[in-house]
Amino acid sequence: MAEAAKQRREISVAPDEDGLRLDRWFKERYPNLTHGRLQKLLRTGQVRVDGSRAKAGDRLTEGARVRVPPGVGEEEARLPAKPACRPATPDSLMEDIRARVLFKDDEVLVIDKPAGLAVQGGTGQRFHLDAMLDGLRFGAAEGPRLVHRL
């Protein structure tokens, strides 16, 4: 037990991670950690936030302490990175989406999404808005995230 406690890590949530969901926090820090394995770690109480059991959808606050169980990150580091499986968005489609930006500032980006373009991917969805968000950075350090459909 003492050896496992030595391997366990507590990581502070950085200011730019404030408000991030716990599952997304793990995906950013440990990209090869599978969703199923993370769910098992959460279900069995091995992942804790500020000493309490946590759920995947819990929002993190700046300075919160996330307990990362022993072995997380080590086993996944031996796995090859997952290849990108989505096709590249055609330039003409990206130009069309950029032309449909109705409003943008440092916090908000409003897009007039064309009919027929899916917002998120799924079975049979070749192109979707969620996959195009990196192309809508407009020089920002962080890409936009989907928040709401009006």
Side-chain angles (χ1 to χ4, degrees):
M1 178 72 180
E3 188 173 319
K6 289 179 187 175
Q7 294 176 354
R8 184 175 55 222
R9 300 174 302 257
E10 285 200 2
I11 300 174
S12 289
V13 175
D16 63 328
E17 297 170 329
D18 185 57
L20 200 61
R21 286 173 45 122
L22 182 61
D23 55 352
R24 293 186 187 264
W25 183 87
F26 267 95
K27 196 66 179 164
E28 286 182 12
R29 287 186 175 245
Y30 305 98
N32 286 332
L33 178 66
T34 64
H35 178 74
R37 179 148 187 256
L38 175 60
Q39 289 298 324
K40 184 174 183 178
L41 294 171
L42 291 166
R43 236 184 357 263
T44 57
Q46 296 180 61
V47 172
R48 294 185 177 254
V49 177
D50 290 333
S52 300
R53 289 181 86 125
K55 294 181 182 175
D58 290 350
R59 297 281 177 179
L60 298 172
T61 57
E62 178 183 348
R65 307 283 298 164
V66 179
R67 185 174 85 182
V68 180
V72 170
E74 296 163 14
E75 294 172 12
E76 293 81 18
R78 291 188 287 251
L79 298 173
K82 293 180 183 176
C85 59
R86 60 177 102 134
T89 305
D91 290 338
S92 59
L93 183 55
M94 275 310 305
E95 288 175 24
D96 181 46
I97 295 298
R98 285 188 197 109
R100 292 173 170 268
V101 172
L102 300 175
F103 175 82
K104 72 178 174 83
D105 65 14
D106 293 340
E107 300 293 323
V108 176
L109 178 68
V110 179
I111 302 168
D112 178 21
K113 183 190 78 64
L117 177 64
V119 174
Q120 293 179 310
T123 305
Q125 296 299 322
R126 187 167 172 175
F127 302 110
H128 52 88
L129 189 59
D130 195 25
M132 299 177 195
L133 292 178
D134 273 345
L136 296 170
R137 283 183 175 212
F138 297 105
E142 184 179 333
R145 289 181 256 171
L146 294 175
V147 177
H148 201 285
R149 291 173 52 184
L150 302 174

